[in-house]
Amino acid sequence: MPFNFTVSPDFAPDHMSGWFYFNTWLQRNLETEIHLELFDSFDEQREEIRAGKIDLIYANPYDASMLVREHGFKAVVRPAGKRDEAVVVVPASSGAEVVEDLSAGVRLATTADPDVHTIGMIMLEPADLDKSNITQREYDTYILVAKALLRGDADVGFFLKQGFDELSDLIKKQMRVLVSSQISVVHHSLLIGPNMQEYSDSLNGLLVNMHNEPKGAGVLESMGIKRWESMSVEQTEFMIDLIDTLMI
């Protein structure tokens, strides 16, 4: 049976084909069969993880914590130079210029990405806003959060900064960023599950050198990644501890 590979649903739609190219490249270079399955929502993906159906995953920081602590996954690499930050966004027509301009009763559009949501809520604190005085609706993707803002169904939205930056210029021009986090040490990572860990060293070696190989470099470009860098156990544990602290 093939191994199963998946990607956190917060990737940019423009990079979907890139992940399929990456999966083909992986199969060829690891000389094993790998099936790529993409999910429309975080919840659907987490159900498959809990059912033990995932062997390799490009995970967001919150899911990385769950995968390592609860399911025995091991972080292999992370995308160099890419850090996960959250942004608080309003429609361009909004009267709010800074977070402090927001008031109780605002309608929030968010996702099931807990680290981004938690960081976003922390950034709302200067406006004395919390879950007790806002109306919140959860959407499956950042594209749907953007649509909610543009349709007038929400007053403020939380985005993964990279997810916001990768929206089309036409959409971004209709919104305004009020504030961006600057944590710097939280990031997505590629994790390998217990059933596939015999490939861990080979996978690490292939990926950290992927940008030096012409075909590999082309695949990375299609994914919006410059190169991979190794992740140590210490780096993984530090990030997980930070996420756990934020989630308290």
Side-chain angles (χ1 to χ4, degrees), residues 41-178:
S41 72
F42 293 96
D43 290 339
E44 185 182 1
Q45 185 180 77
R46 288 170 190 148
E47 286 180 11
E48 295 296 292
I49 292 169
R50 295 186 184 102
K53 296 181 179 179
I54 301 301
D55 302 301
L56 186 68
I57 178 171
Y58 183 68
N60 64 70
Y62 174 84
D63 286 339
S65 175
M66 176 261 291
L67 286 154
V68 171
R69 293 277 168 86
E70 300 177 22
H71 298 280
F73 277 67
K74 175 185 175 183
V76 180
V77 292
R78 62 187 178 187
K82 280 184 177 283
R83 299 297 179 258
D84 286 4
E85 303 291 355
V87 290
V88 177
V89 177
V90 295
S93 59
S94 171
E97 297 292 338
V98 294
V99 165
E100 289 83 352
D101 291 336
L102 300 173
S103 57
V106 295
R107 299 166 298 162
L108 168 66
T110 186
T111 67
D113 197 341
D115 48 311
V116 172
H117 179 79
T118 299
I119 295 168
M121 291 301 296
I122 291 171
M123 291 193 291
L124 289 186
E125 289 177 359
D128 293 323
L129 297 176
D130 57 38
K131 63 182 180 180
S132 70
N133 59 7
I134 64 174
T135 301
Q136 174 182 315
R137 181 172 176 184
E138 189 175 285
Y139 294 86
D140 285 339
T141 66
Y142 293 113
I143 292 291
L144 294 178
V145 170
K147 287 182 178 180
L149 289 170
L150 298 184
R151 287 196 306 259
D153 294 336
D155 305 305
V156 61
F158 294 161
F159 291 82
L160 178 69
K161 185 177 185 300
Q162 181 184 337
F164 180 79
D165 290 343
E166 291 176 340
L167 294 172
S168 71
D169 289 340
L170 179 62
I171 293 176
K172 284 189 291 186
K173 285 178 181 178
Q174 299 177 70
M175 295 184 285
R176 181 168 63 252
V177 175
L178 295 185

